[in-house]
């Protein structure tokens, strides 16, 4: 088992053209084994690009191919409309990797999904995507770093630390069920709690690595969920332990102001919730190796 | 992008939020000219992007030309928490009957907008929040619904705004919300929002943070892009599209993604090194971007070793490796460079680095080992 996507997932790539970023990543995803069934482009309906049939709209692509996930890598000005087009077409799982979408657009998209399309889950924007090792990879994660077979699920705000954590596990011969990069933007469609709940419900996932970072309150909410709703072990790492307060470290929504949102506050909350807290990604891998070794056969 | 008060007030005015007439000036003579045009008394205010101006002597009331001159002379060049005052905002003084507080920002937990209003303005609002939280009325605003006059009036009423000021405050809230939402601001804050003795409601201060991601649809922001006030290295980085924050150690850090860049700083610190900076080359960086990052780092004389930590996803490691090699040919780099690359096209990247390996360019297989080596090299060079 895995969460959100598996080998039955059929992906439509929105905004595809011979030179698009979407095509580049879609081909890599397909080479990994992901079932890429369609592309969309209002000006290229009826074409076939690299063996991928192109439709003028997501609705047509869904109608013709039964696509049940979409992948969006279009520029920020067009991404909000693309997300809503997929939702309108009834696509239940939408991955948007686009970076630099204005925060107010994200807030409107999220509110629209919440009100009008509760059946659609958005992952991202500004995220690396999702990989169910050996089954499906939607997004920009280098598939070869993952190892199939479980038992560990991963969820991360940071993209590159997400890769690092997957890699640490793979190096130790520990497989993964699903890795979810939720992205660090102000209004992510899918949060830590959504992923932790799905991992808790997934029988094949037996332990979880959660990678947070400074800023916001998502990690604190995750801590509450871990304390009250989870019986699977969780290993956490919060990036930005040494970040100076009051500075915006990059655009990833990682802002420290006052004491709320600091790495120390988040680590303390997670420790109180019973999670194991590592101080760097390597240590998180080592802690998880111990957890996995101690799992009942 | 954080706006100066005078820019924030100019932005407010576009959305109909009442502000005092005033002028931004850079010299004592211009301050006098502005005061003559505006009419006395005036307030002379330091334009710095930091709180606590009043306490630091950066805001002065002036009743005549001599007082204006004295105020401008005292404030220009003043150092307020490390920010040197180079510009003043001279505005006509306002009679104050009461001071309120209002702000709009995104509530990341609730994923809605949040409006906060208090009748206890004019003081540190964080202090009010800590000591008397019920003095701040909050309203969650669904972006699809927005804020209408009725809801704004009810919120103001909950905030204990007196009846006589309710209509005025409600109108300002609705206009401020438009400034926040249509104006693509991350934050709009007014403290104090004042009631004048003749019953008008008026923004006496303006704190506005614009969302840089929305700049593509706001050409009017361009003149506000103030690279001058950045420290030179941050300015160079910004011009090259890099996210750079200076720290005080001696290990220069380059990574891709804010999370990994922060994590790299964490690891360097844990193995006994001191990060000299945070530098994120972003996603999908090219060889040229990587070379620019090395150029930025080498302008920092504190740097005694450089750690490049890249995990390729959308970023292709071979591009990063080419960038390092390019930079070595283009810039004079004396500090040793320790590189760790994994992920997309890492094999090709390692081959490129192996061809150019030397005393000053080493590749190590793991993040921890690379951090250790870079920290050791920095220590040896001290």
């Amino acid at each position: 088992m895995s969460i959100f996507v598996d080998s039955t997932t059929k992906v439509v790539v929105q905004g595809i053209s011979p030179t698009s970023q979407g095509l580049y990543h879609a081909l890599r995803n397909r080479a990994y084994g992901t079932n890429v069934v369609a592309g969309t482009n209002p000006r290229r309906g009826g074409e076939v690009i690299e063996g991928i049939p192109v439709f003028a709209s997501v609705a047509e692509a869904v109608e013709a191919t039964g696509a049940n996930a979409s992948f969006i890598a279009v520029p920020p000005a067009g991404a909000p409309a693309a997300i809503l087009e997929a939702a309108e077409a009834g696509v239940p799982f939408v991955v948007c990797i686009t970076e630099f979408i204005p925060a107010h657009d994200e807030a409107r998209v999220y509110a629209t999904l919440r009100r009008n399309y509760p059946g659609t889950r958005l992952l991202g924007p500004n995220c690396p995507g999702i990989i169910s090792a050996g089954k499906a990879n939607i997004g920009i994660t280098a598939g070869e770093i993952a190892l199939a077979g479980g038992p560990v699920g991963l969820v991360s705000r940071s993209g590159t630390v997400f890769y690092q954590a997957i890699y640490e596990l793979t190096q130790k011969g520990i497989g993964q069920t699903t890795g979810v990069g939720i992205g660090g933007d102000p209004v992510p469609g899918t949060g830590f709690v959504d992923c932790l709940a799905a991992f808790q419900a997934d029988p094949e996932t037996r332990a979880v690595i959660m990678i947070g970072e400074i800023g916001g309150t998502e990690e604190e909410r995750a801590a509450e969920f871990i304390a009250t709703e989870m019986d699977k072990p969780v290993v956490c790492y919060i990036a930005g332990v040494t970040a100076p307060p009051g500075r915006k470290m990059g655009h990833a929504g990682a802002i420290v102001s006052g004491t709320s949102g600091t790495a120390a506050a988040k680590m303390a909350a997670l420790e109180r919730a019973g999670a194991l807290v590592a101080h760097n990604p390597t240590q998180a891998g080592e802690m998880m190796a111990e957890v996995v070794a101690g799992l009942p056969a | 992008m954080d706006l100066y008060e005078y820019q924030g007030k100019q932005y407010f005015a576009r959305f109909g939020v009442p502000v005092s007439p005033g002028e931004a000036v850079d010299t004592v003579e211009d301050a006098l000219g502005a005061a003559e045009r505006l009419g006395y008394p005036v307030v002379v205010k330091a334009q710095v992007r930091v709180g606590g101006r009043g306490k630091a002597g950066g805001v002065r009331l002036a009743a005549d030309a001599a007082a204006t001159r004295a105020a401008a002379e005292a404030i220009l060049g003043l150092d307020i928490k490390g920010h040197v005052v180079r510009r003043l905002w001279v505005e006509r003084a306002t009679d104050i009957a009461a001071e309120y507080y209002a702000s709009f920002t995104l509530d990341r937990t609730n994923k809605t907008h949040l409006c906060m209003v208090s009748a206890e303005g004019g003081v540190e609002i964080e202090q009010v929040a800590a000591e008397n939280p019920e003095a701040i009325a909050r309203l969650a605003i669904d972006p699809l619904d927005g804020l209408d006059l009725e809801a704004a009036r009810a919120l103001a009423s909950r905030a204990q705004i007196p009846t006589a000021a309710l209509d005025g405050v409600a109108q300002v809230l609705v206009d401020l919300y438009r400034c926040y939402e249509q104006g693509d601001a991350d934050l709009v804050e007014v403290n104090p929002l004042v009631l004048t003795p003749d019953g008008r409601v008026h923004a006496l201060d303006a704190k506005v943070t614009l969302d840089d991601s929305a700049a593509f649809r706001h050409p009017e922001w361009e003149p506000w892009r103030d690279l001058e006030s950045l420290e030179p290295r941050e300015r160079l980085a910004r011009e090259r599209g890099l996210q750079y924050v200076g720290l005080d150690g001696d290990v220069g850090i380059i990574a891709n993604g804010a999370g990994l860049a922060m994590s790299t700083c964490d690891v360097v610190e844990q193995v006994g090194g001191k990060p000299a900076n945070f530098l994120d080359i972003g996603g999908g960086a090219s060889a040229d971007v990587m070379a620019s990052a090395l150029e930025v780092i080498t302008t920092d004389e504190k740097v005694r070793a450089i750690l490049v930590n890249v995990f390729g996803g959308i970023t292709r490691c071979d591009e990063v490796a080419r960038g390092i090699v390019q930079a070595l040919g283009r810039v004079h780099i004396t500090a040793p460079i320790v590189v760790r690359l994994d992920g997309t096209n890492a094999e090709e990247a390692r081959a490129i680095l192996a061809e150019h390996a030397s005393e000053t360019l080493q590749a190590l297989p793991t993040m921890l080992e690379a951090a250790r080596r870079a920290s050791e090299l920095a220590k040896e060079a001290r």
Side-chain angles (χ1 to χ4, degrees):
Chain A
M1 291 269 290
S2 45
I3 67 167
F4 303 144
V5 298
D6 59 26
S7 49
T8 67
T9 303
K10 296 180 185 174
V11 182
V12 52
V13 181
Q14 291 180 240
I16 201 169
S17 77
T19 56
S20 67
Q21 281 293 306
L23 180 67
Y24 173 81
H25 298 296
L27 293 178
R28 288 173 59 92
N29 290 170
R30 187 175 66 180
Y32 186 75
T34 312
N35 202 1
V36 177
V37 296
T40 66
N41 185 324
R43 286 174 305 280
R44 292 179 181 271
E47 291 181 20
V48 176
I49 301 176
E50 300 276 352
I52 301 170
V54 181
F55 299 86
S57 70
V58 178
E60 285 170 45
V62 168
E63 172 75 32
T65 66
N68 57 5
S70 102
F71 177 37
I72 297 169
V74 302
I83 295 166
L84 295 178
E85 187 194 345
E88 176 66 33
V91 176
F93 192 74
V94 178
V95 177
C96 179
I97 65 164
T98 307
E99 195 179 11
F100 302 125
I101 297 178
H104 282 280
D105 290 359
E106 285 185 14
R108 274 190 290 268
V109 165
Y110 187 85
T112 307
L113 293 178
R114 178 157 59 185
R115 185 176 295 185
N116 301 330
Y117 307 104
T120 294
R121 170 175 296 289
L122 169 66
L123 178 62
N126 189 17
C127 75
I130 181 166
I131 179 163
S132 286
K135 296 170 182 166
N137 181 14
I138 308 176
I140 56 179
T141 307
E144 63 271 19
I145 64 171
L147 179 64
V152 177
L154 295 103
V155 57
S156 172
R157 245 165 90 181
S158 155
T160 38
V161 184
F162 172 64
Y163 310 148
Q164 180 69 37
I166 294 175
Y167 191 68
E168 297 280 356
L169 293 179
T170 298
Q171 295 288 92
K172 291 181 162 51
I174 301 169
Q176 304 102 42
T177 51
T178 300
V180 193
I182 59 175
D185 269 11
V187 197
T190 294
F192 282 128
V193 171
D194 301 306
C195 298
L196 293 175
F199 282 131
Q200 175 65 25
D202 172 36
E204 202 184 298
T205 301
R206 301 183 67 195
V208 179
I209 288 191
M210 180 182 122
I211 313 275
E213 61 189 33
I214 52 174
T217 55
E218 272 280 303
E219 289 80 2
E220 284 82 347
R221 293 179 68 213
E224 262 178 62
F225 185 85
I226 291 167
T228 56
E229 308 287 335
M230 287 191 78
D231 58 12
K232 297 181 181 180
V234 180
V235 173
C236 301
Y237 164 60
I238 307 293
V241 179
T242 54
R247 298 299 301 267
K248 189 169 173 175
M249 302 293 260
H251 47 72
I255 303 166
V256 188
S257 47
T259 51
S260 71
T262 62
K266 290 175 189 296
M267 288 161 77
L270 288 160
E271 256 167 15
R272 276 197 304 277
L276 297 164
V277 179
H279 288 82
N280 59 58
T282 308
Q283 195 189 8
E286 286 162 1
M287 284 173 139
M288 184 50 85
E290 277 181 42
V291 167
V292 170
L295 287 172
Chain B
M1 167 166 62
D2 291 333
L3 296 187
Y4 289 107
E5 174 198 2
Y6 76 94
Q7 296 166 336
K9 284 183 170 171
Q10 289 169 357
Y11 210 43
F12 280 2
R14 284 170 191 256
F15 294 91
V17 177
V19 292
S20 305
E23 293 180 30
V25 297
D26 298 340
T27 66
V28 174
E29 293 314 313
D30 287 350
L32 278 171
E36 295 293 332
R37 281 187 291 277
L38 292 162
Y40 295 103
V42 294
V43 181
V44 181
K45 303 176 86 173
Q47 297 299 292
V48 282
R49 291 179 178 127
V50 63
R53 285 178 305 176
K55 279 181 203 153
V59 179
R60 291 192 182 202
L61 185 66
D64 54 32
T68 303
R69 173 177 290 280
E73 280 173 351
I75 299 173
L76 277 172
L78 190 67
D79 186 316
I80 301 179
K81 299 179 186 168
H83 297 247
V84 176
V85 182
R86 304 195 188 286
R87 181 160 292 180
L88 304 172
W89 172 247
V90 182
E91 73 175 18
R92 195 184 300 146
T94 304
D95 289 328
I96 299 170
E99 296 183 298
Y100 311 135
Y101 169 90
S103 69
F104 291 88
T105 187
L106 180 72
D107 178 349
R108 291 170 61 146
T109 305
N110 207 17
K111 298 180 180 179
T112 57
H113 301 307
L114 174 68
C115 177
M116 291 191 279
V117 179
S118 176
E120 296 185 18
V123 290
E124 281 288 328
I125 199 67
E126 277 144 59
Q127 204 175 327
V128 176
E131 290 166 9
N132 190 13
E134 55 289 3
I136 302 173
R138 296 156 183 261
L139 178 70
I141 301 169
D142 187 307
L144 302 182
D145 298 330
L147 179 69
D148 61 19
L149 269 176
E150 199 185 336
R153 201 172 189 281
L155 174 65
S157 175
R158 272 201 289 128
Q160 312 291 323
I161 303 286
T163 313
L166 281 180
D167 287 335
V169 169
Q171 185 61 52
V172 167
L173 290 177
V174 167
D175 292 334
L176 279 174
Y177 179 73
R178 281 197 305 121
C179 175
Y180 167 70
E181 221 244 353
Q182 293 170 22
D184 275 310
D186 286 335
L187 169 75
V188 163
E189 186 174 51
V190 186
N191 190 19
L193 179 68
V194 300
L195 177 68
T196 60
D198 58 354
R200 288 175 300 115
V201 176
H202 182 108
L204 208 58
D205 194 10
K207 192 170 176 198
V208 177
T209 303
L210 300 174
D211 176 6
D212 294 323
S213 297
F216 70 88
R217 59 188 176 206
H218 293 283
E220 77 276 16
W221 293 358
E222 196 47 46
W224 293 338
R225 206 159 283 286
D226 171 27
L227 293 173
E228 302 307 313
S229 71
L230 290 175
E231 96 41 52
R233 201 166 309 110
E234 292 192 4
R235 182 166 74 216
L236 178 65
R238 190 79 62 87
E239 285 166 357
R240 303 288 174 87
L242 304 165
Q243 297 284 335
Y244 176 95
V245 177
L247 302 170
D248 41 22
D250 54 12
V251 181
I253 286 170
I254 300 174
N256 63 326
L260 191 63
M262 285 191 289
S263 190
T264 309
C265 292
D266 291 351
V267 171
V268 164
E269 193 115 347
Q270 285 158 14
V271 299
K274 289 273 171 222
N277 65 277
F278 159 103
L279 196 160
D280 171 14
I281 55 171
S286 63
D288 207 42
V289 169
M290 185 63 220
S292 295
L294 279 168
E295 279 179 57
V296 168
I297 297 267
T298 49
T299 64
D300 183 353
E301 286 170 6
K302 297 194 310 297
V303 171
R304 297 178 199 278
I306 300 171
L307 171 58
V308 178
N309 185 21
V310 168
F311 210 115
I314 201 164
T315 305
R316 301 168 202 178
C317 291
D318 54 329
E319 283 286 311
V320 171
R322 270 184 214 107
I324 295 169
V325 173
Q326 263 179 33
L328 286 172
R330 187 163 98 191
V331 197
H332 180 63
I333 303 176
T334 47
I337 305 173
V338 180
V339 187
R340 177 279 176 145
L341 297 161
D342 270 308
T344 306
N345 298 354
E347 287 304 316
E348 294 93 312
R350 289 195 195 104
I352 294 167
L353 291 178
E355 268 173 49
H356 295 85
S358 71
E359 280 287 288
T360 52
L361 179 62
Q362 322 180 8
L364 284 168
T366 73
M367 176 164 164
L368 215 49
E369 285 170 74
R372 256 188 215 117
R373 176 68 56 83
S375 302
E376 282 161 14
L377 288 169
K379 261 183 211 154
E380 282 167 19
R382 261 178 222 164

